[in-house]
Amino acid sequence: MKHCKLIYTLFLILFAPIVSQAQTPVIKDATVNLAKSYIALAGSNFSPANVAPTVTVGGTSRTVFSFTNTSIVVEVPSTLAAATYLVTVTNSVPHSGSAYVTVGAVGSQGPTGPQGPTGATGPAGATGPAGQQGPAGTVTLPFSGTAAGSTGSVFNISNTAPEHSAIAGHGAQALSGGTTGGVGVGGYGGSSNGTSSQIGTGGVGVSAVGGDGTAEADYGGVGVIATGGSANNSDGTGGAGVVAWGGSSNIGGDGIRAIGGSGTVEGGAGIYAVQSNGSDAGDFAGNVDVAGSLSKSGGSFKIDHPLDPANKYLYHSFVESPDMLNIYNGNVVTDGSGTAIVTMPAWFEALNTDFRYQLTVIGQFAQAIIASEITNGNFTIKSSKPGVKVSWQVTGIRQDAWANAHRIQVEVDKAPKDQGHYIHPELFGHGREPSIAEMHHPRPPAPSTN
């Protein structure tokens, strides 16, 4: 007689919140997996400030494995007794929300049908007919199960109908009152199990690989497609297509890590972003570090206007040069002999070469010259009179290791496939043609997601 598999389920009795619903944690659903020692909670307002919440189960504080604002995975012992427990989530506001979670047994899995007899081996080695498939077991919803898939996935399903999805998940509609709709599909990577001498890595929450393009001109399939939900009122904001938080630790994880695909002719970009309806292709609210060259059609700073910061912006264009040019300037007053020595920083000559000078006399008619050029970090100015104020400017060409290895080529032939095309075709009377960027990043037909 086969052993029945014990399936755990739960029932939630939600407490009416006492504090403001807008920031109060709401537990809507939970999944108990004692085989892996966790409870997964789904809801809202768990971490509005992206700070780890605290969770108690039956009055006992439990370790939070992972969290977002709408989901928490919390540690529980695998020996947790069958009973009803009060689960409480407290966020950083701090507000608390609670629900009862009941852990108990449900029905057993249906039996497997008997295996058919194997045919006798004939002269041609023919095999007998396969046995009939046993009756399917019943599944009680909500369903949570565990198994040991040592040679593959625990659950694997294929759709044999062309152009249709194998799995579709639809989150439930939100409760009335401005709460959050349910997650369509949730994935939780397994915990790492490293040692002091061997570093482990937690499992991937969701892994997606696009299908291969098989014909010569086919596109490879997209690994992940995400479309934000539409807002249906004039004051609403459409949902983000992708939201990503790096994991918390001594060194936080990257929110997004993108690596372009390798190519025999040209590699793919790590990130390719396109503006829509006059919006920006990228918007960075903070510092940006680029460990390489930055190419652009133009550039400026943009600040709140100093004279009308509430209503206007002020722009200034970048200063451009065909050289990797650094500019230094200052003012100095010559002494009683008409001499002034200007001292540059200690790193100046290591960084720069090919110096150019400009001098302007201020406040009186006088002459000023560069008496001696930069040597050992200094240069000397001489004026025709004593006590002359002189404004000076010195430029230098970078000669550091990176600059020497990456000199800017001022004029470059376009690649053969780009010749006859433009970065901005609309500026040259070819507005209906694709730009070079659009040629390099064609949009494949949208795949079916049903």
Side-chain angles (χ1 to χ4, degrees), residues 42-64:
S44 60
N45 296 324
F46 291 158
S47 177
N50 199 26
V51 176
T54 59
V55 180
T56 61
V57 178
T60 302
S61 179
R62 295 297 181 186
T63 300
V64 175

Side-chain angles (χ1 to χ4, degrees), residues 143-155:
F143 172 79
S144 177
T146 60
S150 58
T151 59
S153 302
V154 170
F155 181 76

Side-chain angles (χ1 to χ4, degrees), residues 133-223:
Q133 182 177 356
T138 59
V139 175
T140 302
L141 298 177
F143 172 79
S144 177
T146 60
S150 58
T151 59
S153 302
V154 170
F155 181 76
N156 197 327
I157 187 169
S158 299
N159 188 346
T160 58
E163 298 186 1
H164 291 280
S165 302
I167 295 177
H170 300 273
Q173 182 180 7
L175 298 172
S176 62
T179 56
T180 305
V183 176
V185 176
Y188 304 94
S191 301
S192 65
N193 193 20
T195 65
S196 59
S197 60
Q198 187 172 4
I199 298 175
T201 302
V204 177
V206 175
S207 177
V209 180
D212 294 333
T214 56
E216 182 176 354
D218 283 357
Y219 296 105
V222 177

Side-chain angles (χ1 to χ4, degrees), residues 237-255:
T237 302
V242 174
V243 176
W245 287 278
S248 299
S249 185
N250 292 333
I251 300 175
D254 298 324

Side-chain angles (χ1 to χ4, degrees), residues 6 14 58 61 80 88 95 98 102 175 265 277 340 343 359 395 426 446:
L6 190 61
L14 299 178
S61 179
L80 186 68
T88 300
H95 286 171
S98 302
T102 300
L175 298 172
V265 176
N277 296 332
T343 301
L359 300 177
T395 63
E426 70 280 2

Side-chain angles (χ1 to χ4, degrees), residues 66-80:
S66 62
F67 69 93
T68 68
N69 197 37
T70 58
S71 64
I72 299 176
V73 179
V74 61
E75 172 269 342
V76 293
S78 60
T79 56
L80 186 68

Side-chain angles (χ1 to χ4, degrees), residues 26 85 118 120 149 155 178 182 190 229 239 250 292 296 305 350 367 425 444:
V26 178
Y85 298 87
T118 303
F155 181 76
N250 292 333
K296 56 186 177 53
H305 197 294
Q367 294 178 324

